Amino acid sequence: MPSPFLVIGDSVISPSSCARNLGAIFDSNLCMKDHIDSICRSAMAAIRKIGQIRHFIDDETAAKLVHAFVTSRLDSCNALVYGLPDSYITKLQLIQNTAARLVARIPRSQHITPVLQSLHWLPIKKRAAYKILLMTYKALNQLAPQYISDVVSYYKPVRNLRSSNKLSLTVTSRPSTKFYGERAFVYAAPSLWNNLPLQVRSSITVSSFKSRLKTHLFNI
């Protein structure tokens, strides 16, 4: 099937395989490959530059530089990578691992999980879940845009059940496509939320929710 195109005067405009929108690069299959590759390139370039001056700065300064030029890129639009195959997530995780080794000054042969924990850095998968859950909490408490608040709601059973006071959310019917449907906020948000302990869901402030959520994600 020929690719669609537009003809405006003497100009022929062909479709692009990807497009940037609000800082994220979307490809035609929504697999975020171009977005992830772009993040990895820019983050790795920043790591190399920080590495060149690592011997001249202390650990605190190194951590600040990594947060400013590496972590900020990994966290940008990171809710979009939720549910992607491990082959895509691994690319981002390797960048975070490299940044952690740079800050902690440890060799590649040393196991990275204890280092991430000592730095209080959540792994990439959990960072994506954290972003979605924080957005969900804000939506439930009228701290998010209305179009986001409109797609999440508390579960209200017809009869008075024990589950009615657990602050669970209504889960939409299971999507027909796992790769696309289960990544959508309307499905991912209630699915992740309902798996949180009640103590986390019942947090009364954003700061307490963030603290409890991060502790919970570190422990699972």
Side-chain angles (χ1 to χ4, degrees), residues 58-183:
D58 57 24
D59 292 351
E60 182 180 357
T61 302
K64 289 180 179 179
L65 289 173
V66 166
H67 283 311
F69 298 105
V70 180
T71 307
S72 61
R73 289 183 167 92
L74 295 177
D75 287 343
S76 177
C77 304
N78 64 338
L80 295 173
V81 307
Y82 173 78
L84 288 178
D86 288 344
S87 58
Y88 292 99
I89 301 296
T90 299
K91 294 181 179 180
L92 297 172
Q93 189 59 61
L94 290 175
I95 294 294
Q96 187 188 45
N97 293 351
T98 303
R101 290 191 170 95
L102 177 63
V103 173
R105 293 184 176 182
I106 63 167
R108 295 185 62 181
S109 58
Q110 187 169 334
H111 192 49
I112 195 61
T113 300
V115 179
L116 293 176
Q117 291 176 341
S118 66
L119 294 172
H120 302 288
W121 293 3
L122 287 171
I124 297 299
K125 276 188 177 182
K126 293 183 178 181
R127 295 178 90 88
Y130 178 93
K131 179 69 72 66
I132 293 174
L133 287 166
L134 179 58
M135 195 182 307
T136 305
Y137 178 87
K138 291 182 177 180
L140 293 170
N141 290 276
Q142 306 304 312
L143 299 173
Q146 191 61 44
Y147 69 89
I148 295 180
S149 299
D150 288 343
V151 299
V152 292
S153 59
Y154 285 113
Y155 173 64
K156 297 178 181 178
V158 178
R159 294 179 296 171
N160 187 19
L161 305 175
R162 285 184 297 176
S163 60
S164 60
N165 62 348
K166 291 186 177 181
L167 303 178
S168 298
L169 299 184
T170 301
V171 182
T172 59
S173 57
R174 195 172 189 85
S176 58
T177 57
K178 181 178 178 65
F179 184 76
Y180 298 106
E182 293 188 6
R183 290 167 53 199

Side-chain angles (χ1 to χ4, degrees), residues 4-63:
F5 59 88
L6 294 175
V7 178
I8 302 178
D10 296 331
S11 301
V12 178
I13 303 176
S14 300
S16 174
S17 60
C18 61
R20 185 182 295 273
N21 184 29
L22 298 177
I25 302 175
F26 295 88
D27 54 80
S28 57
N29 295 317
L30 292 179
C31 66
M32 308 306 294
K33 180 180 183 300
D34 295 280
H35 178 69
I36 291 173
D37 289 344
S38 175
I39 289 175
C40 291
R41 284 194 300 269
S42 58
M44 200 62 215
I47 288 175
R48 292 192 188 98
K49 291 180 179 179
I50 297 172
Q52 292 174 354
I53 62 171
R54 182 64 182 92
H55 294 295
F56 305 102
I57 57 178
D58 57 24
D59 292 351
E60 182 180 357
T61 302

